[in-house]
Amino acid sequence: MTTPVPSPKVQAFLARGPHRLFVDGKWLSGSGGLRSITDPATGLELSQVTMASPADVGTAAGAARRCFESPAWRGMPPAVRARLLWRLGELLDAHADELAEIEVFNQGKPFWLARALDAGAIGETCRYFAGWCTKLDGMVHSPSAPDPRGPGAAGPWLHMYSVREPAGVVGAIAPWNVPLVIAMAKVAGALAAGCTVILKPAEQTPLTALRLAELVEEAGFPPGSFNVVPGLGETAGAALVDSPLVDRITFTGSTDVGKLIVRAAAKDLKRVSLELGGKSPLVIFADADLARAIPAAADSIFINAGQMCFAGSRLFVAHSVRGKVLDGIAAIARDMKLGHGMDPETAMGPLISEEQRARVAGYVAQGLAAGGQLLCGGAAPAGPGNFFAPTVIAAENPLNPAAQAEIFGPVLVAATFPDQMPEQELLTRLNATPFGLAASLWTGDIARAHRLASGIQAGAVWVNCINMLDDAAPMGGFKQSGWGYEGGRAGVEEFTQLKTIAIDLT
Ligand code: NAI
Ligand code: MG
């Protein structure tokens, strides 16, 4: 594999390193030490980034708090906030190629995917949420409390209404798999609601968050309204959750860390929203359009090298089409070209780290040891980079560890079901996981799709499609896949609180 050279713009950005923290509208040299940021496809260093210490996080929290309480932010008319977010959206679009390229070098996914999924979507996310700034109205109530003036008095005696206020200072903790998209869903929703934000990107992928900070500065947001503190989870992330100056945490990442955050937030009952892991079923019935279902099933697990919370990682296929479906997916997997994300022929990039690759290999080994049958892949190719071959394991036992755990790599675990299986029994199998993020159903029978969609325990059900996300639609997990929503009205209301005011008019 030849090592691609970044474009002049991206080289100029990388050369601005060692990168600092963006706090209170200024670039601060933090005290948590430098981290070498590497290209997961080559292992080569891209740049160095300052990690925030807990004290630096405290400084950022202080700045976000002061800004939240300042007239410059609290007094800003919603329409002005809307224009700032809109301007940021335009800047993100104007720099989409550059942002996509930085993501490719730092995260590993192919450029076509980063351009479409990551950098191509976030400008629209900003504009979508910009529209909410001016629409977060309160309400006037019709209370039933008896009028102390007795019968016949003029007009109401009580004026009772509720206003929707911003939740305060938001700590946003993002993961490394889709760094910009996940950060923007949180940041744009929180800013639209009138909150101020401290973003902590994952330690592996801080680069696009830092470029985002430069664009936020250019858009003209007041100092302190948006801050970026790259840092380690156990120190900077934990300090954000611990800070008394932070009102709300929005987190995407592992279920284990989600639980840690909930425990830590209990100290001051900080509000928390969580988007956690998944082990989502993808079901192919015998009457499905297999020409579409087979490539979609492959995409659902292999896109972004399987490092997707929504990945369709448990395949359930009707017995009569098992051979055709599994052969088809395995053929796609064997054909996929692994390589650097900047190579236009690359179908799949590397995993984010050697640690993640070891985790994925470990689950594959456990799955095979427990009786799973390897249909393709299963190993890491020789050479540099954290690559892992797209893998399909047939495992009928639902207790097989590979069928249970969120692997977060390009590993599909496939099981069959009898064509005539009663729907309730099938639903029991689909729902037999602590997770409840998404499900995808492939069938020509739309009535069956509606019946099953109603019985599936998941925050998103996709019928004859996969990964249908939209800024307008709320997304959230059932069961241990999370709390709260991102996207849609619910995604901005997450960052607000209602205050009810009653005025005696007598
Ligand atoms: P992680 O949950 O440790 O990391 C996600 C974010 O949380 C990062 O920004 C990290 O710095 C931060 N973090 C870690 N510990 C923290 C703490 N104690 N307090 C506050 N913030 C903390 O995920 P990791 O270790 O990178 O990946 C492990 C597994 O997690 C993956 O194999 C996958 O199963 C799952 N995961 C799920 C994601 C999703 O989109 N739902 C995203 C990333 C990982
Ligand atoms: Mg971790």
Side-chain angles (χ1 to χ4, degrees):
M1 186 179 72
T2 54
T3 303
V5 177
S7 66
K9 267 191 193 159
V10 170
Q11 278 190 32
F13 168 74
L14 296 175
R16 291 203 277 284
H19 294 269
R20 288 174 293 169
L21 321 176
F22 186 66
V23 172
D24 212 6
K26 296 184 280 285
W27 294 92
L28 289 194
S29 16
S31 56
L34 287 182
R35 183 179 172 102
S36 170
I37 303 300
T38 52
D39 179 343
T42 60
L44 300 175
E45 180 173 286
L46 296 166
S47 192
Q48 294 194 334
V49 172
T50 308
M51 297 285 104
S53 66
D56 299 329
V57 171
T59 306
R65 183 92 239 153
R66 272 195 312 282
C67 178
F68 181 69
E69 280 159 14
S70 73
W73 187 251
R74 282 310 286 275
M76 181 186 281
V80 176
R81 210 162 67 235
R83 275 202 295 276
L84 285 176
L85 263 175
W86 191 281
R87 199 176 301 147
L88 177 61
E90 305 281 81
L91 283 167
L92 291 169
D93 279 355
H95 293 85
D97 284 334
E98 183 192 342
L99 288 163
E101 191 185 332
I102 297 171
E103 208 73 294
V104 170
F105 275 99
N106 192 174
Q107 196 273 343
K109 61 171 64 94
F111 183 81
W112 54 263
L113 179 60
R115 185 64 181 77
L117 170 74
D118 303 68
I122 50 175
E124 208 51 62
T125 299
C126 280
R127 287 187 293 272
Y128 172 79
F129 281 109
W132 276 115
C133 296
T134 49
K135 293 163 194 74
L136 296 171
D137 293 331
M139 50 206 145
V140 180
H141 307 296
S142 311
S144 296
D147 188 336
R149 297 170 303 174
W157 77 275
L158 191 65
H159 179 45
M160 200 173 194
Y161 61 101
S162 299
V163 288
R164 192 173 279 287
E165 295 189 350
V169 175
V170 170
I173 303 176
W176 41 262
N177 55 331
V178 201
L180 257 182
V181 172
I182 292 171
M184 274 327 295
K186 299 178 185 310
V187 169
L191 291 172
C195 296
T196 58
V197 180
I198 305 153
L199 169 63
K200 193 206 80 64
E203 51 269 42
Q204 299 89 342
T205 55
L207 293 181
T208 44
L210 293 163
R211 186 69 186 102
L212 169 68
E214 296 179 349
L215 297 174
V216 166
E217 206 178 4
E218 199 177 326
F221 279 85
S225 54
F226 176 71
N227 309 274
V228 180
V229 289
L232 303 178
E234 301 71 30
T235 51
L240 207 47
V241 179
D242 193 51
S243 170
L245 301 175
V246 173
D247 300 290
R248 213 176 199 300
I249 293 291
T250 166
F251 169 79
T252 299
S254 61
T255 299
D256 285 349
V257 171
K259 290 177 183 175
L260 273 180
I261 288 177
V262 167
R263 266 183 231 119
K267 186 188 72 169
D268 56 0
L269 291 181
K270 205 171 257 123
R271 301 328 189 236
V272 172
S273 46
L274 306 165
E275 214 262 61
L276 306 175
K279 188 74 176 175
S280 299
L282 187 147
V283 189
I284 302 183
F285 291 92
D287 65 356
D289 176 354
L290 295 184
R292 288 176 56 222
I294 291 169
D299 244 19
S300 177
I301 185 65
F302 298 140
I303 202 162
N304 202 20
Q307 302 166 121
M308 296 292 264
C309 46
F310 291 113
S313 49
R314 284 188 297 146
L315 173 69
F316 293 88
V317 59
H319 190 264
S320 65
V321 292
R322 176 188 194 272
K324 190 166 179 196
V325 168
L326 294 187
D327 288 353
I329 296 173
I332 292 171
R334 283 191 206 96
D335 248 20
M336 289 183 96
K337 186 170 178 290
L338 305 190
H340 197 285
M342 292 309 292
D343 179 343
E345 293 192 352
T346 292
M348 189 194 288
L351 297 173
I352 190 68
S353 60
E354 183 49 50
E355 183 194 357
Q356 189 64 18
R357 179 163 72 171
R359 186 180 288 143
V360 170
Y363 283 126
V364 169
Q366 286 179 45
L368 299 181
Q373 183 200 350
L374 187 67
L375 302 186
C376 66
N386 313 315
F387 293 94
F388 196 85
T391 299
V392 182
I393 296 174
E396 293 300 337
N397 181 357
L399 297 179
N400 184 303
Q404 291 273 318
E406 177 180 56
I407 298 179
F408 228 59
V411 181
L412 180 65
V413 179
T416 48
F417 62 91
D419 287 40
Q420 303 308 326
M421 189 175 206
E423 282 171 9
Q424 199 49 50
E425 255 176 66
L426 180 60
L427 277 171
T428 301
R429 282 187 75 182
L430 302 182
N431 289 332
T433 158
F435 298 113
L437 202 52
S440 171
L441 304 174
W442 290 80
T443 174
D445 179 347
I446 197 68
R448 163 157 64 193
H450 275 294
R451 287 193 303 271
L452 289 172
S454 151
I456 281 175
Q457 294 161 350
V461 181
W462 298 310
V463 176
N464 295 332
C465 58
I466 55 166
N467 298 351
M468 276 301 141
L469 306 174
D470 195 282
D471 293 316
M475 278 293 165
F478 279 29
K479 301 195 278 188
Q480 294 188 33
S481 287
W483 289 354
Y485 301 94
E486 283 181 358
R489 175 197 286 266
V492 65
E493 289 185 347
E494 278 290 327
F495 298 108
T496 65
Q497 50 194 354
L498 289 169
K499 177 187 284 171
T500 296
I501 299 165
I503 301 180
D504 185 335
L505 304 176
T506 60

